[in-house]
Amino acid sequence: MFVMELTYTAPIEAVEDELDAHIAWLDGYYASGVFLASGRKVPREGGVILAAGVSRAEVERIAEGDPFVLAGVCEYRITEFIATKTSADLAAVRENLAV
C-alpha cells in the first residue's frame, strides 16, 4: 500500500485552477480500484491519497500524470508500507509480512 503525499508548490489560486482536472483524475483511479481514500491536509498545504494494488513504479507513474503535477503546482512524496492490519472495510487490501 502507498501513502501519496502531495505538497503544493504554487499559490492556492493556481491549485484551484487545476482542481476540476485533478478531481477527474482521482475519480478515474477510484473507479479502477487503485485509490482507497484521499483528501486535503489541514492546514491546506497539499493532500494525501491512499493507493493499493499496484507496484511502486506504477504508483510513481500515476503521480506523474496528476494534473497538479503536469501544471507544476505540487510535488509528491510516496511512502510504501505493508498494511498488515486494516478495518473490516479494507480487508481486501490487507497484506501479509514475507517470512
Side-chain angles (χ1 to χ4, degrees):
M1 186 173 296
F2 297 92
V3 176
M4 303 170 68
E5 181 181 6
L6 298 74
T7 301
Y8 298 145
T9 58
I12 198 67
E13 296 79 17
V15 172
E16 288 287 340
D17 288 345
E18 303 301 325
L19 191 56
D20 289 343
H22 174 74
I23 291 170
W25 172 84
L26 287 170
D27 289 345
Y29 286 102
Y30 274 109
S32 72
V34 173
F35 288 173
L36 306 175
S38 62
R40 294 176 179 173
K41 292 183 198 174
V42 177
R44 191 175 177 196
E45 57 190 26
V48 175
I49 301 168
L50 293 182
V54 293
S55 68
R56 181 168 190 99
E58 180 67 7
V59 85
E60 288 173 355
R61 186 195 65 72
I62 289 168
E64 290 170 4
D66 182 345
F68 280 173
V69 171
L70 297 173
V73 301
C74 90
E75 57 186 25
Y76 273 89
R77 181 176 141 211
I78 298 171
T79 303
E80 185 172 3
F81 74 102
I82 301 168
T84 56
K85 192 162 185 71
T86 67
S87 69
D89 291 337
L90 293 177
V93 295
R94 198 172 295 150
E95 300 170 281
N96 294 313
L97 291 173
V99 185

